[in-house]
Amino acid sequence: MGGFEGKTVLMVNCDFVYPPDHGDRVDSWNRIKCLRQMGCIVDLICTVKESPKQEYVDEVKKYVRNLFLCPRKNRIVDIFSFLPLQLKSREQLKHVGLEGKYDYLIVDDTAAMLILQNPRLSYDKAMLHMNNDNYVYFKGLASSEGVLWKKVYFLLDAFKYKQIDVAVVRSLPNIAFVSYDEMLRYKRAYPQIHATFLPVAIETEYREQALDSKTVLLIGSLFMINNQDAVRFYLQKVHPHLTRDVEGYRLIIAGNSRKQGIAWIEKLTSDYNNVEIHDTPEKLDELYARSSVFVNPMRYGAGVKLKTVNAIVNGLPVVATTIGNEGTGLIHGEQVLVDDDPKALCRYITELLGDVSVRRNFVNRAQAYLRENYNQKEKLSAYLLSL
């Protein structure tokens, strides 16, 4: 496609890409498959805290020529580094044993920027794939965090990311943004960059659900403090009213806790018998099929909220906060329903649960928007050719 047959690509990721069990992994995994479909030969570097399961490694190796696992190292002394800890912990990127010259280098997020200091790295063209404005992201984590030392850590990394922004855009001025809103902000701040909106890769089939229940689905990485804040906000400000006002209403909460447990959710829901909690489910298909509305009540975060996009792909209408819809390009009242007021969120969910035709209309319009605007193969190939 577009003359990419046999072109070599080095992708450098901040996490292992499989299984695709949360937003960034879904996006990265689908992009690898997209590059393969374009005819590219892909080598992949993943920075990891611990070795992934062999079955996961084997699956990834079906799509990449060479896989490099690069260990992360966290040291207390690195707090005093001028680099954000997210970068500093990935210093081993400087020492990955690379061979040959690549046609394209794709750095997946600024936290992987130290690959540029690898003396064995050789490439023709490069781009930065920006998942988040990390200054905004870590500042939001600090706002969500109640533990003082963690709040200080998040604020420090936010400040450090802000300080290195100019160096980042100077090193990699070709930047593909997952979030349309963040692309506009960066272009205003740094008009010299060569930017594009590269929406999340959608490689699965668009689905149609029965939408015949009174069940609301909430999915998020439960180990992340901003998602924990979203769950608490919904359970305390929205869920009680729907329980009282909507006959048959149920809530499903699902997400990866990374073995940190879900006791905090169980405590919050102990007075309710209409809540299901699924800790680290292997598949979400059944949960989507049983639900009629998806809710994204995030109040802090950056980048695009992939869970919102994935819910639409999987056939559910979406009710979200402003942050929960940020960066998607989806318009309130046309493809999604958006508000930050708990009363308005209750009203929207009640309206959707009350009329299946309204639910289906929102899904149809939202999926049509994604089909038109989220064609990653077209956008990625056009951007790589423009470098």
Side-chain angles (χ1 to χ4, degrees):
M1 180 178 182
F4 289 98
E5 193 69 37
K7 295 292 185 182
T8 55
V9 178
L10 176 64
M11 274 188 61
V12 188
N13 277 66
C14 294
D15 185 17
F16 197 63
V17 296
Y18 197 87
D21 54 4
H22 62 77
D24 288 344
R25 281 187 176 182
V26 170
D27 191 29
S28 296
W29 182 237
N30 286 342
R31 188 173 307 106
I32 289 170
K33 293 192 288 185
C34 177
L35 287 166
R36 279 293 304 273
Q37 291 167 12
M38 290 163 55
C40 296
I41 299 168
V42 181
D43 284 359
L44 175 66
I45 300 175
C46 295
T47 60
V48 296
K49 289 184 177 180
E50 57 185 32
S51 297
K53 293 180 180 179
Q54 188 59 45
E55 62 189 280
Y56 298 159
V57 171
D58 293 340
E59 184 64 25
V60 171
K61 285 184 175 179
K62 295 177 182 178
Y63 293 87
V64 304
R65 179 181 63 179
N66 294 306
L67 172 64
F68 304 91
L69 298 180
C70 185
R72 290 181 60 186
K73 294 184 179 180
N74 290 295
R75 304 180 303 170
I76 294 177
V77 68
D78 290 337
I79 294 174
F80 303 102
S81 169
F82 75 93
L83 290 175
L85 287 179
Q86 293 293 317
L87 269 82
K88 191 68 176 176
S89 68
R90 293 178 167 89
E91 281 206 313
Q92 289 300 310
L93 286 170
K94 300 177 184 179
H95 309 296
V96 178
L98 300 169
E99 296 181 2
K101 185 176 182 179
Y102 292 95
D103 293 301
Y104 295 100
L105 168 68
I106 299 178
V107 179
D108 199 61
D109 197 77
T110 53
M113 289 288 292
L114 291 181
I115 188 63
L116 297 178
Q117 297 181 26
N118 188 315
R120 301 186 66 174
L121 175 66
S122 178
Y123 60 90
D124 186 22
K125 300 174 181 178
M127 62 169 265
L128 171 63
H129 181 259
M130 187 169 284
N131 297 307
N132 299 306
D133 178 337
N134 282 304
Y135 167 70
V136 174
Y137 179 70
F138 278 91
K139 191 176 178 182
L141 291 181
S143 299
S144 304
E145 182 57 68
V147 179
L148 181 59
W149 72 265
K150 291 183 179 179
K151 183 183 289 288
V152 170
Y153 156 63
F154 291 139
L155 285 173
L156 276 174
D157 255 26
F159 173 77
K160 291 176 181 179
Y161 269 116
K162 192 69 171 177
Q163 299 309 302
I164 68 170
D165 240 13
V166 172
V168 168
V169 299
R170 186 183 297 124
S171 298
L172 279 178
N174 302 317
I175 307 177
F177 292 84
V178 175
S179 166
Y180 184 78
D181 297 333
E182 288 184 359
M183 181 191 71
L184 296 180
R185 289 204 301 267
Y186 263 77
K187 287 181 73 172
R188 285 193 296 268
Y190 307 104
Q192 73 274 23
I193 64 175
H194 176 47
T196 192
F197 172 48
L198 184 64
V200 296
I202 298 173
E203 294 298 314
T204 58
E205 294 293 324
Y206 287 85
R207 296 180 180 176
E208 181 178 332
Q209 306 291 1
L211 303 179
D212 57 359
S213 71
K214 294 292 182 70
T215 300
V216 172
L217 178 61
L218 193 167
I219 294 174
S221 298
L222 300 177
F223 63 91
M224 293 297 299
I225 191 69
N226 51 356
N227 284 316
Q228 292 175 8
D229 174 84
V231 171
R232 289 190 174 93
F233 168 71
Y234 184 86
L235 287 174
Q236 293 170 350
K237 301 294 185 179
V238 180
H239 181 72
H241 301 285
L242 295 174
T243 300
R244 182 192 63 209
D245 298 337
V246 180
E247 185 178 357
Y249 159 76
R250 294 188 60 80
L251 172 66
I252 297 174
I253 301 173
N256 186 349
S257 72
R258 285 197 178 173
K259 301 178 181 178
Q260 295 178 18
I262 54 171
W264 61 277
I265 306 179
E266 292 172 338
K267 182 178 180 180
L268 285 170
T269 59
S270 59
D271 292 335
Y272 298 100
N273 59 10
N274 62 346
V275 180
E276 292 180 33
I277 309 168
H278 296 263
D279 184 1
T280 319
E282 289 192 9
K283 293 185 177 181
L284 299 172
D285 295 1
E286 180 190 353
L287 303 184
Y288 284 122
R290 292 170 50 204
S291 304
S292 288
V293 173
F294 184 87
V295 64
N296 186 343
M298 293 185 71
R299 299 190 295 171
Y300 306 100
V304 70
K305 304 308 174 289
L306 301 185
K307 59 177 75 70
T308 296
V309 174
N310 290 333
I312 291 169
V313 172
N314 282 279
L316 296 185
V318 172
V319 175
T321 54
T322 303
I323 294 294
N325 187 53
E326 184 183 30
T328 65
L330 296 159
I331 299 173
H332 166 66
E334 294 186 19
Q335 298 103 9
V336 290
L337 291 167
V338 181
D339 208 293
D340 295 323
D341 181 5
K343 292 182 180 178
L345 295 176
C346 287
R347 185 172 69 254
Y348 293 149
I349 293 170
T350 300
E351 290 173 359
L352 287 174
L353 291 178
D355 192 330
V356 67
S357 64
V358 175
R359 298 197 288 272
R360 200 163 300 286
N361 286 337
F362 269 98
V363 172
N364 291 340
R365 291 194 296 266
Q367 288 188 346
Y369 175 87
L370 295 184
R371 285 190 175 97
E372 181 178 353
N373 294 281
Y374 277 54
N375 188 321
Q376 170 117 170
K377 261 185 282 192
E378 282 186 10
K379 292 181 178 293
L380 179 58
S381 60
Y383 186 66
L384 290 176
L385 288 171
S386 74
L387 301 182

